[in-house]
Amino acid sequence: MPRVAIAMPVYNDEQYLALALEGLCRQTDRDFALTVVDDGSTDASAAVAESFADRLPITVIRAEHRGLRTTKRAAVEASSPDAEFVLMHDADIELPDDAIERMVAMLDSDANVAAVSATARSVPSRRWGRGQAFFEYLVRHSLVNDRDESRGIVGGCVMLRRTALAGIRLRVDINEDVDLSLQLRNRFKLMWPRDLVADHWGVPTTLRGIWNRGYRDGLRVRAIMRVHPKDFQLGTVARLVPLPLSAAMAIGALTLQPWLVGGAATVLAAYTAAFLYASRHVPGDLGTRLEGTALFLLSNFGFAAGFVRESLSKPTDEELSEPPRTG
C-alpha cells in the first residue's frame, strides 16, 4: 500500500495537465498512488491523464461536471484509504522533483505537523509571470516565520497527514483551503518551506485575467469571514484600499472637487509606496518591481470588487461534506 495518496481534480486542464503529470513521473519518491477525477471536461483532459497509465500508478475517474470544490472532495474520498498521507495536487501545478520526498520527510520528522505546502509560484517566463511571481513571493514570506511554520496552507500543492483530518468536515460552499487551515492550525503545525517552490502554469496571462483572479479571491475571503468572523485579518482591509480611493477620485472629478481628487491620489501613492517598501527584500530588477506593483494594484481592485459583491449577496445555506476517510 502506498504511503501517499495523490488527489487531483481536473476540469478542462488539457493545456497544463501533462506538465503536472510529468512532474510526478520525475519524483524521487515514487511511493504514491494517483487518483484523477475529471469534472466533466469538454476537452481531452481525461485522455491526457489516461495516457500516463504506463508511467504512473494512476486511476482516472470520469464524472459529471459538479464544480472544483466538490470534485476535489471526491478525489480525496476516492484516493487510497489506507495511505498515511494525502497530497492535494492541482492539475496546473508542476512539482519540483524532490517535493514528495521532502514533504514526507517533514511529516515523518514531527508528529505534530499536519500539513506541508509547496509554494505555487507563477512562471516568470510567461506573460505577466514575473510581476505575479514578485507579489506572490512577498505574500508568501509575510505569512511564514523563520521556522517555515505558517498559519495557512496552499490547497493546490499540500500534503496532509490523514489522521489529522479525522472528524474534520470539509465545506464546499467556501474556500476549502482557508477553512481547513483554520480547523487545523490551533491543534497542529502547518509547514511551508521557503525553498519548496512549484511552477504554477495556470495563472492568468492577461490583465483581465489578473483582475478576475483578484475578484475571485475577494469573493472567497468574504465568504470565509461569514463563517469565521473572528479570523478577520488586517491584510484584508489593506487589499480593499484601492477601490474607495479610486471612487473618491472619480467623485471628485465629476463634482469638480480638486481637493478630493488630490487627497485620494496622494493616499493611493502612499499605498503604492508602502507596497514597494514592504517588497524591498524581494529579488527583482526595477522592471520586475514596477510590473509586480502594477499587477498588485490591479489584483486588489478586483479583490475589492469581489469582496463588495459577496458582502451584498444573500448568504447561502451551509453545505457540508462528510469527514474525509482516515483509514
Side-chain angles (χ1 to χ4, degrees):
M1 182 61 61
R3 293 194 73 194
V4 179
I6 304 177
M8 180 180 290
V10 171
Y11 179 68
N12 288 349
D13 289 305
E14 177 185 6
Q15 185 176 5
Y16 307 117
L17 179 56
L19 292 170
L21 297 177
E22 288 286 355
L24 291 177
C25 289
R26 295 192 301 268
Q27 289 302 303
T28 54
D29 184 341
R30 294 295 298 269
D31 190 11
F32 62 77
L34 169 64
T35 300
V36 172
V37 177
D38 181 72
D39 186 32
S41 295
T42 57
D43 64 5
S45 292
V48 170
E50 290 167 347
S51 71
F52 279 79
D54 60 339
R55 302 174 60 193
L56 290 171
I58 185 173
T59 299
V60 180
I61 300 172
R62 296 180 182 238
E64 296 181 356
H65 181 59
R66 296 173 292 176
L68 175 62
R69 295 170 189 167
T70 299
T71 302
K72 181 179 287 191
R73 180 188 64 183
V76 174
E77 293 174 345
S79 64
S80 303
D82 297 322
E84 191 173 352
F85 308 120
V86 179
L87 173 61
M88 307 294 292
H89 192 330
D90 281 358
D92 61 351
I93 291 177
E94 183 180 5
L95 293 173
D97 298 355
D98 61 348
I100 291 179
E101 180 180 1
R102 291 185 59 189
M103 289 174 166
V104 169
M106 293 186 74
L107 288 161
D108 280 340
S109 66
D110 188 345
N112 290 320
V113 174
V116 179
S117 296
T119 296
R121 188 166 300 160
S122 304
V123 180
S125 61
R126 304 183 73 224
R127 188 181 185 190
W128 305 118
R130 65 173 185 168
Q132 292 182 85
F134 182 83
F135 70 72
E136 289 166 355
Y137 186 104
L138 174 63
V139 171
R140 180 251 176 271
H141 278 254
S142 69
L143 295 175
V144 184
N145 64 25
D146 292 336
R147 298 184 301 276
D148 288 339
E149 293 182 21
S150 171
R151 297 285 285 170
I153 63 173
V154 182
C157 47
V158 59
M159 187 176 292
L160 300 157
R161 188 184 303 276
R162 193 182 284 272
T163 54
L165 299 176
I168 286 181
R169 301 174 70 84
L170 298 179
R171 302 177 65 98
V172 297
D173 59 330
I174 58 175
N175 187 309
E176 70 286 343
D177 306 340
V178 178
D179 185 49
L180 182 56
S181 300
L182 292 170
Q183 294 187 65
L184 288 174
R185 71 190 192 188
N186 291 328
R187 297 185 293 126
F188 299 99
K189 295 179 182 178
L190 309 179
M191 307 301 295
W192 197 351
R194 294 177 182 271
D195 58 346
L196 185 55
V197 179
D199 287 334
H200 191 185
W201 291 96
V203 296
T205 56
T206 66
L207 295 179
R208 180 180 178 84
I210 293 168
W211 189 93
N212 287 336
R213 185 184 184 189
Y215 179 82
R216 291 191 295 270
D217 285 345
L219 291 174
R220 289 192 290 259
V221 168
R222 184 64 185 94
I224 278 288
M225 286 173 54
R226 284 196 173 117
V227 181
H228 300 283
K230 294 181 180 180
D231 289 282
F232 181 78
Q233 297 180 351
L234 184 60
T236 300
V237 176
R239 295 197 67 180
L240 297 172
V241 167
L243 189 62
L245 290 178
S246 298
M249 284 191 286
I251 293 172
L254 291 173
T255 59
L256 303 178
Q257 299 292 331
W259 65 269
L260 183 57
V261 176
T266 300
V267 176
L268 185 59
Y271 178 83
T272 304
F275 174 81
L276 286 168
Y277 179 78
S279 62
R280 64 193 183 280
H281 298 307
V282 178
D285 57 21
L286 178 60
T288 299
R289 293 181 182 281
L290 293 176
E291 180 179 310
T293 302
L295 297 184
F296 175 76
L297 291 172
L298 177 63
S299 176
N300 282 358
F301 276 114
F303 179 91
F307 188 94
V308 170
R309 176 172 178 177
E310 182 65 22
S311 297
L312 298 176
S313 66
K314 182 179 179 180
T316 58
D317 292 336
E318 178 180 289
E319 295 180 65
L320 295 175
S321 76
E322 293 302 314
R325 293 179 294 178
T326 61

